[in-house]
Amino acid sequence: MQLRSGVGSKAAVLVALAALITACGSGADGAGTEKPPTAADTGAGTAASGKPAAGTTDFATVFNTEQRIQSALPDPSQMAEWTPKTGRADIEEQPKSPVECGPDAHWDCTAIADGSAKFEAFGETVIFGIKAYADQKAAHDACGKEAAWSAKYTKANVSPVAGVTSHAYYRNAGSLDGLDLIMCTGTVIAEIRLEGPGSDLNPATAHRMAEGTFVPRIQTAAAAS
């Protein structure tokens, strides 16, 4: 697997995250204080430019550039009470086809790009992750595989996220207990993971960050030219 990374060092990561404030704008006032979407934001359809309207959850936009991946991830202005720690955007130079992956491959085998942004506050960590696929069918198939793969974990009672297919579970990774919220929308699979010694793994926190920050951010990135 060959990757091209859009961020090289921790310093560059923080600069890149900060740059998103200007380059992409902010869809919220900060964690826990997100503005509710307006009717224009939540409407479905296609804009006159041919791009999906902002707020459309079933989009065909392909997230195949570092810029589009980065623009889909929350930036420091949206996470005002949190400290940005790391961020990255990777594009697969040689993505695998479904035939190459085969039916038993891991759910992210056919992903063409991915990225993440990590923030911390008071000992709690939140990681926003995104896996991008070549089209809606590939993303849909990967979503089905992910749901089957994660079914072995304990379900977390996170309320359904409006406009997307979502589920959540508790999982230990790297000796850290965490809550993972998975969301399937358009051509991507998005994930919010809560972890850290200061986290109570509150399902309401994951849901708030999903509906108030992450999903609108992805939708806006999909609608951008």
Side-chain angles (χ1 to χ4, degrees), residues 36 44 63 89 97 106 172 174 182 185 200 216:
F63 284 67
S97 68
H106 191 59
N172 181 282
I182 305 296
T185 177
D200 57 3

Side-chain angles (χ1 to χ4, degrees), residues 75-176:
D75 64 38
S77 71
Q78 293 175 293
M79 302 291 290
E81 298 175 6
W82 297 71
T83 300
K85 303 301 289 186
T86 60
R88 64 177 182 81
D90 300 324
I91 307 300
E92 286 278 4
E93 293 184 352
Q94 296 179 329
K96 292 182 179 180
S97 68
V99 173
E100 291 176 297
C101 287
D104 299 324
H106 191 59
W107 60 268
D108 63 356
C109 183
T110 58
I112 63 170
D114 67 271
S116 66
K118 179 178 178 180
F119 298 84
E120 292 182 358
F122 306 107
E124 182 171 33
T125 297
V126 57
I127 302 170
F128 299 93
I130 190 168
K131 294 280 186 182
Y133 294 85
D135 52 41
Q136 290 169 306
K137 182 182 184 305
H140 180 270
D141 291 345
C143 284
K145 286 188 174 183
E146 192 286 327
W149 172 83
S150 61
K152 59 182 175 287
Y153 296 110
T154 301
K155 180 181 177 180
N157 292 318
V158 176
S159 299
V161 179
V164 305
T165 300
S166 66
H167 68 275
Y169 54 90
Y170 297 102
R171 179 170 68 96
N172 181 282
S175 299
L176 284 174

Side-chain angles (χ1 to χ4, degrees), residues 43-65:
T46 303
S49 64
K51 289 289 182 178
T56 301
T57 57
D58 188 22
F59 53 81
T61 303
V62 179
F63 284 67
N64 56 358
T65 66

